Amino acid sequence: MGEGQPFSLPLGSDDIVLPFRVDALDTRGRSVRLGKVLDEILARHAYPPKVERLLAQAIALTALMGSSLKLDGRFQLQTKSEGPVSMLVVDFSTPADMRAYARFDAEAVEKLPANARDGQLLGPGYLGFTIEQTALQSRYQGIVGLDGQGLEAAAMQYFRQSEQIPSVVRLAVAEEQVMIAGTRRQRWRAGGILAQFLPQAPERMRVADLDPGDAPAGTPKHEVAEDDAWVEARSLVETTEDLELVDPALGLDRLLYRLFNERGVTVQNPLAIADQCRCSEAKIRQMLAQFSAEDLADMREDDGQIGITCEFCSRKYRLGAFSSEVEAGSR
């Protein structure tokens, strides 16, 4: 998996993914810092704060994972669960376009305490990751159960089960007060780190076999001691505080140096993250053209137009005639 398209950006910037490697610990990873882009994505939906915070985590996690795509394509994170927040969808399209939305039960969300855990918002269900590579016309999907856990824990479970690469993920979300046009308002920020153990010798990556689930009682579990280099790298990432991940005064380059300076850390070119939806009138017309003339007639409002609102960016479209109607009328 690659490091994304290079950009010449100050390393202390917001809205970037910064790839890094620590050769002494055979560790590679990416860090993310989101500010204005995150706030713009969330602001257009007016979600309750609990939902915004959860979706912000999903956006940060998607940026960390999607930015590893080698070829043109798309990475999508999606949850489907039985909790108050029944669905999260985050799209990452190369080189670095992000869009996201959430579905939730407003009444159920309101009943939760202000400090509700992610698992309480999501409930039982699954977290899925989909990778589509355009040139290869290939599609890969990995799924992991949520089982009442949050996105950070579920992501690490996914790496253990699906990729079997020793990995650690840290995510953090916070609000900051800013002055905009003379008005004080709250704005969201998010940050995160994904580090993975990738030694040249494959035998050093050995991981314990997954529990088959049907082993007789008392069967000893297969255990493999972690490599000392990975234990050190993982422990360093785990010590990262939430404030360090979102602090606008602490650039990602400085944060990575703070974590790994004793071992030596190298950063690659940062990748600029953009708030960009892929919806368009042409795509919506193409989609609606697949419906029958009768179905389209049922969708029409009093003025004869069909109203469509993009779930991702909330843009509203009002459209007229479609090919299926024209074909039906010409018979």
Side-chain angles (χ1 to χ4, degrees), residues 17-45:
V17 171
L18 186 61
F20 68 91
R21 69 177 191 268
V22 185
D23 293 335
L25 299 178
D26 293 305
T27 295
R28 294 192 178 192
R30 291 173 297 282
S31 53
V32 64
R33 173 71 55 73
L34 298 172
K36 182 180 178 182
V37 165
L38 175 67
D39 200 57
E40 288 175 346
I41 292 174
L42 297 176
R44 64 173 56 98
H45 294 287

mmCIF file of all heavy atoms in Angstrom, residues 17-45:
data_model
loop_
_atom_site.group_PDB
_atom_site.id
_atom_site.type_symbol
_atom_site.label_atom_id
_atom_site.label_comp_id
_atom_site.label_asym_id
_atom_site.label_seq_id
_atom_site.Cartn_x
_atom_site.Cartn_y
_atom_site.Cartn_z
ATOM 1 N N VAL A 17 -2.740 14.067 6.020
ATOM 2 C CA VAL A 17 -2.251 12.770 6.487
ATOM 3 C C VAL A 17 -0.748 12.778 6.288
ATOM 4 O O VAL A 17 -0.257 13.128 5.210
ATOM 5 C CB VAL A 17 -2.886 11.616 5.694
ATOM 6 C CG1 VAL A 17 -2.207 10.292 6.046
ATOM 7 C CG2 VAL A 17 -4.381 11.521 5.987
ATOM 8 N N LEU A 18 -0.016 12.421 7.323
ATOM 9 C CA LEU A 18 1.446 12.449 7.277
ATOM 10 C C LEU A 18 1.985 11.024 7.445
ATOM 11 O O LEU A 18 1.966 10.476 8.547
ATOM 12 C CB LEU A 18 1.992 13.361 8.371
ATOM 13 C CG LEU A 18 3.507 13.602 8.359
ATOM 14 C CD1 LEU A 18 3.942 14.279 7.062
ATOM 15 C CD2 LEU A 18 3.916 14.442 9.564
ATOM 16 N N PRO A 19 2.470 10.386 6.373
ATOM 17 C CA PRO A 19 3.062 9.051 6.494
ATOM 18 C C PRO A 19 4.415 9.128 7.204
ATOM 19 O O PRO A 19 5.140 10.122 7.078
ATOM 20 C CB PRO A 19 3.240 8.606 5.037
ATOM 21 C CG PRO A 19 2.379 9.525 4.225
ATOM 22 C CD PRO A 19 2.389 10.824 4.969
ATOM 23 N N PHE A 20 4.759 8.061 7.910
ATOM 24 C CA PHE A 20 6.034 8.033 8.623
ATOM 25 C C PHE A 20 6.558 6.609 8.706
ATOM 26 O O PHE A 20 5.828 5.635 8.493
ATOM 27 C CB PHE A 20 5.898 8.631 10.023
ATOM 28 C CG PHE A 20 5.053 7.807 10.960
ATOM 29 C CD1 PHE A 20 5.621 6.827 11.771
ATOM 30 C CD2 PHE A 20 3.678 8.009 11.043
ATOM 31 C CE1 PHE A 20 4.842 6.061 12.633
ATOM 32 C CE2 PHE A 20 2.891 7.263 11.912
ATOM 33 C CZ PHE A 20 3.477 6.283 12.699
ATOM 34 N N ARG A 21 7.834 6.516 9.035
ATOM 35 C CA ARG A 21 8.417 5.200 9.299
ATOM 36 C C ARG A 21 9.480 5.330 10.391
ATOM 37 O O ARG A 21 10.131 6.370 10.516
ATOM 38 C CB ARG A 21 9.012 4.581 8.040
ATOM 39 C CG ARG A 21 10.260 5.257 7.509
ATOM 40 C CD ARG A 21 10.813 4.505 6.292
ATOM 41 N NE ARG A 21 12.130 4.970 5.922
ATOM 42 C CZ ARG A 21 12.373 5.924 5.038
ATOM 43 N NH1 ARG A 21 11.357 6.512 4.415
ATOM 44 N NH2 ARG A 21 13.621 6.272 4.760
ATOM 45 N N VAL A 22 9.594 4.282 11.158
ATOM 46 C CA VAL A 22 10.626 4.202 12.200
ATOM 47 C C VAL A 22 11.417 2.937 11.898
ATOM 48 O O VAL A 22 11.059 1.835 12.326
ATOM 49 C CB VAL A 22 9.993 4.146 13.611
ATOM 50 C CG1 VAL A 22 11.077 4.193 14.682
ATOM 51 C CG2 VAL A 22 9.002 5.289 13.813
ATOM 52 N N ASP A 23 12.483 3.091 11.127
ATOM 53 C CA ASP A 23 13.227 1.931 10.645
ATOM 54 C C ASP A 23 13.810 1.096 11.773
ATOM 55 O O ASP A 23 13.862 -0.135 11.685
ATOM 56 C CB ASP A 23 14.345 2.392 9.704
ATOM 57 C CG ASP A 23 13.811 2.991 8.405
ATOM 58 O OD1 ASP A 23 12.672 2.634 8.022
ATOM 59 O OD2 ASP A 23 14.510 3.820 7.791
ATOM 60 N N ALA A 24 14.243 1.738 12.841
ATOM 61 C CA ALA A 24 14.850 0.998 13.951
ATOM 62 C C ALA A 24 13.863 0.048 14.615
ATOM 63 O O ALA A 24 14.270 -0.936 15.240
ATOM 64 C CB ALA A 24 15.407 1.974 14.985
ATOM 65 N N LEU A 25 12.568 0.335 14.468
ATOM 66 C CA LEU A 25 11.528 -0.507 15.070
ATOM 67 C C LEU A 25 10.710 -1.246 14.013
ATOM 68 O O LEU A 25 9.677 -1.835 14.338
ATOM 69 C CB LEU A 25 10.605 0.351 15.947
ATOM 70 C CG LEU A 25 11.278 1.069 17.122
ATOM 71 C CD1 LEU A 25 10.270 1.927 17.877
ATOM 72 C CD2 LEU A 25 11.944 0.076 18.064
ATOM 73 N N ASP A 26 11.164 -1.208 12.750
ATOM 74 C CA ASP A 26 10.458 -1.882 11.658
ATOM 75 C C ASP A 26 8.978 -1.504 11.621
ATOM 76 O O ASP A 26 8.112 -2.348 11.404
ATOM 77 C CB ASP A 26 10.586 -3.405 11.785
ATOM 78 C CG ASP A 26 12.012 -3.873 11.566
ATOM 79 O OD1 ASP A 26 12.575 -3.549 10.511
ATOM 80 O OD2 ASP A 26 12.562 -4.548 12.468
ATOM 81 N N THR A 27 8.716 -0.240 11.854
ATOM 82 C CA THR A 27 7.334 0.238 11.975
ATOM 83 C C THR A 27 7.061 1.318 10.931
ATOM 84 O O THR A 27 7.889 2.202 10.707
ATOM 85 C CB THR A 27 7.077 0.800 13.384
ATOM 86 O OG1 THR A 27 7.188 -0.267 14.330
ATOM 87 C CG2 THR A 27 5.700 1.422 13.491
ATOM 88 N N ARG A 28 5.898 1.213 10.315
ATOM 89 C CA ARG A 28 5.431 2.239 9.390
ATOM 90 C C ARG A 28 4.025 2.646 9.783
ATOM 91 O O ARG A 28 3.293 1.887 10.422
ATOM 92 C CB ARG A 28 5.440 1.733 7.949
ATOM 93 C CG ARG A 28 6.830 1.440 7.410
ATOM 94 C CD ARG A 28 6.809 1.236 5.918
ATOM 95 N NE ARG A 28 8.151 1.009 5.394
ATOM 96 C CZ ARG A 28 8.461 1.029 4.100
ATOM 97 N NH1 ARG A 28 7.501 1.270 3.207
ATOM 98 N NH2 ARG A 28 9.693 0.804 3.707
ATOM 99 N N GLY A 29 3.650 3.839 9.383
ATOM 100 C CA GLY A 29 2.307 4.270 9.731
ATOM 101 C C GLY A 29 1.939 5.592 9.105
ATOM 102 O O GLY A 29 2.659 6.134 8.264
ATOM 103 N N ARG A 30 0.794 6.090 9.538
ATOM 104 C CA ARG A 30 0.283 7.377 9.077
ATOM 105 C C ARG A 30 -0.367 8.079 10.259
ATOM 106 O O ARG A 30 -0.954 7.435 11.140
ATOM 107 C CB ARG A 30 -0.741 7.190 7.948
ATOM 108 C CG ARG A 30 -0.111 6.690 6.663
ATOM 109 C CD ARG A 30 -1.157 6.349 5.601
ATOM 110 N NE ARG A 30 -2.037 5.259 6.003
ATOM 111 C CZ ARG A 30 -1.705 3.985 5.968
ATOM 112 N NH1 ARG A 30 -0.500 3.609 5.565
ATOM 113 N NH2 ARG A 30 -2.560 3.053 6.343
ATOM 114 N N SER A 31 -0.250 9.392 10.260
ATOM 115 C CA SER A 31 -0.929 10.202 11.263
ATOM 116 C C SER A 31 -1.848 11.169 10.534
ATOM 117 O O SER A 31 -1.583 11.543 9.386
ATOM 118 C CB SER A 31 0.088 10.966 12.120
ATOM 119 O OG SER A 31 0.981 11.694 11.294
ATOM 120 N N VAL A 32 -2.921 11.584 11.178
ATOM 121 C CA VAL A 32 -3.892 12.475 10.539
ATOM 122 C C VAL A 32 -4.266 13.586 11.502
ATOM 123 O O VAL A 32 -4.345 13.381 12.719
ATOM 124 C CB VAL A 32 -5.158 11.703 10.088
ATOM 125 C CG1 VAL A 32 -5.910 11.118 11.280
ATOM 126 C CG2 VAL A 32 -6.090 12.605 9.281
ATOM 127 N N ARG A 33 -4.494 14.763 10.953
ATOM 128 C CA ARG A 33 -4.974 15.900 11.727
ATOM 129 C C ARG A 33 -6.046 16.596 10.877
ATOM 130 O O ARG A 33 -5.779 17.012 9.749
ATOM 131 C CB ARG A 33 -3.827 16.852 12.038
ATOM 132 C CG ARG A 33 -4.192 18.160 12.706
ATOM 133 C CD ARG A 33 -4.620 17.976 14.153
ATOM 134 N NE ARG A 33 -3.666 17.288 14.984
ATOM 135 C CZ ARG A 33 -2.518 17.821 15.421
ATOM 136 N NH1 ARG A 33 -2.160 19.043 15.075
ATOM 137 N NH2 ARG A 33 -1.719 17.128 16.203
ATOM 138 N N LEU A 34 -7.251 16.704 11.393
ATOM 139 C CA LEU A 34 -8.375 17.289 10.657
ATOM 140 C C LEU A 34 -8.933 18.485 11.423
ATOM 141 O O LEU A 34 -9.172 18.399 12.626
ATOM 142 C CB LEU A 34 -9.478 16.258 10.437
ATOM 143 C CG LEU A 34 -9.099 15.030 9.608
ATOM 144 C CD1 LEU A 34 -10.226 14.003 9.626
ATOM 145 C CD2 LEU A 34 -8.769 15.426 8.175
ATOM 146 N N GLY A 35 -9.139 19.588 10.723
ATOM 147 C CA GLY A 35 -9.709 20.796 11.316
ATOM 148 C C GLY A 35 -10.850 21.322 10.482
ATOM 149 O O GLY A 35 -11.983 20.874 10.600
ATOM 150 N N LYS A 36 -10.561 22.276 9.592
ATOM 151 C CA LYS A 36 -11.590 22.930 8.797
ATOM 152 C C LYS A 36 -12.388 21.951 7.948
ATOM 153 O O LYS A 36 -13.619 22.027 7.881
ATOM 154 C CB LYS A 36 -10.948 23.983 7.899
ATOM 155 C CG LYS A 36 -11.941 24.766 7.054
ATOM 156 C CD LYS A 36 -11.242 25.799 6.189
ATOM 157 C CE LYS A 36 -12.251 26.547 5.320
ATOM 158 N NZ LYS A 36 -11.583 27.527 4.438
ATOM 159 N N VAL A 37 -11.707 21.020 7.310
ATOM 160 C CA VAL A 37 -12.403 20.045 6.459
ATOM 161 C C VAL A 37 -13.406 19.240 7.264
ATOM 162 O O VAL A 37 -14.563 19.047 6.850
ATOM 163 C CB VAL A 37 -11.391 19.108 5.763
ATOM 164 C CG1 VAL A 37 -12.092 17.883 5.190
ATOM 165 C CG2 VAL A 37 -10.652 19.855 4.654
ATOM 166 N N LEU A 38 -12.981 18.760 8.431
ATOM 167 C CA LEU A 38 -13.886 17.994 9.292
ATOM 168 C C LEU A 38 -15.088 18.837 9.691
ATOM 169 O O LEU A 38 -16.241 18.384 9.623
ATOM 170 C CB LEU A 38 -13.138 17.535 10.537
ATOM 171 C CG LEU A 38 -13.975 16.825 11.605
ATOM 172 C CD1 LEU A 38 -14.485 15.496 11.091
ATOM 173 C CD2 LEU A 38 -13.166 16.640 12.884
ATOM 174 N N ASP A 39 -14.840 20.059 10.109
ATOM 175 C CA ASP A 39 -15.924 20.921 10.567
ATOM 176 C C ASP A 39 -16.909 21.211 9.443
ATOM 177 O O ASP A 39 -18.124 21.256 9.670
ATOM 178 C CB ASP A 39 -15.347 22.233 11.119
ATOM 179 C CG ASP A 39 -16.316 22.941 12.037
ATOM 180 O OD1 ASP A 39 -16.751 22.323 13.025
ATOM 181 O OD2 ASP A 39 -16.658 24.100 11.748
ATOM 182 N N GLU A 40 -16.419 21.390 8.222
ATOM 183 C CA GLU A 40 -17.306 21.663 7.095
ATOM 184 C C GLU A 40 -18.183 20.460 6.781
ATOM 185 O O GLU A 40 -19.377 20.613 6.483
ATOM 186 C CB GLU A 40 -16.478 22.043 5.866
ATOM 187 C CG GLU A 40 -15.842 23.428 5.957
ATOM 188 C CD GLU A 40 -14.935 23.732 4.774
ATOM 189 O OE1 GLU A 40 -14.602 22.773 4.027
ATOM 190 O OE2 GLU A 40 -14.569 24.902 4.604
ATOM 191 N N ILE A 41 -17.619 19.268 6.852
ATOM 192 C CA ILE A 41 -18.408 18.060 6.578
ATOM 193 C C ILE A 41 -19.522 17.907 7.598
ATOM 194 O O ILE A 41 -20.671 17.602 7.258
ATOM 195 C CB ILE A 41 -17.496 16.820 6.586
ATOM 196 C CG1 ILE A 41 -16.540 16.859 5.386
ATOM 197 C CG2 ILE A 41 -18.325 15.538 6.560
ATOM 198 C CD1 ILE A 41 -15.498 15.754 5.392
ATOM 199 N N LEU A 42 -19.197 18.135 8.876
ATOM 200 C CA LEU A 42 -20.195 17.949 9.928
ATOM 201 C C LEU A 42 -21.218 19.073 9.966
ATOM 202 O O LEU A 42 -22.403 18.834 10.233
ATOM 203 C CB LEU A 42 -19.485 17.846 11.286
ATOM 204 C CG LEU A 42 -18.534 16.661 11.461
ATOM 205 C CD1 LEU A 42 -17.828 16.744 12.809
ATOM 206 C CD2 LEU A 42 -19.280 15.343 11.324
ATOM 207 N N ALA A 43 -20.797 20.299 9.692
ATOM 208 C CA ALA A 43 -21.678 21.461 9.857
ATOM 209 C C ALA A 43 -22.878 21.426 8.926
ATOM 210 O O ALA A 43 -23.958 21.915 9.270
ATOM 211 C CB ALA A 43 -20.886 22.749 9.635
ATOM 212 N N ARG A 44 -22.744 20.851 7.757
ATOM 213 C CA ARG A 44 -23.855 20.893 6.794
ATOM 214 C C ARG A 44 -24.980 19.933 7.158
ATOM 215 O O ARG A 44 -26.044 19.948 6.540
ATOM 216 C CB ARG A 44 -23.349 20.601 5.378
ATOM 217 C CG ARG A 44 -22.783 19.222 5.157
ATOM 218 C CD ARG A 44 -22.472 18.994 3.679
ATOM 219 N NE ARG A 44 -21.569 20.012 3.163
ATOM 220 C CZ ARG A 44 -20.245 19.850 3.033
ATOM 221 N NH1 ARG A 44 -19.695 18.686 3.391
ATOM 222 N NH2 ARG A 44 -19.496 20.799 2.571
ATOM 223 N N HIS A 45 -24.784 19.105 8.186
ATOM 224 C CA HIS A 45 -25.818 18.143 8.557
ATOM 225 C C HIS A 45 -26.565 18.514 9.839
ATOM 226 O O HIS A 45 -27.670 18.029 10.068
ATOM 227 C CB HIS A 45 -25.214 16.750 8.722
ATOM 228 C CG HIS A 45 -24.691 16.165 7.457
ATOM 229 N ND1 HIS A 45 -25.509 15.702 6.458
ATOM 230 C CD2 HIS A 45 -23.412 15.974 7.026
ATOM 231 C CE1 HIS A 45 -24.781 15.246 5.460
ATOM 232 N NE2 HIS A 45 -23.503 15.399 5.780
#
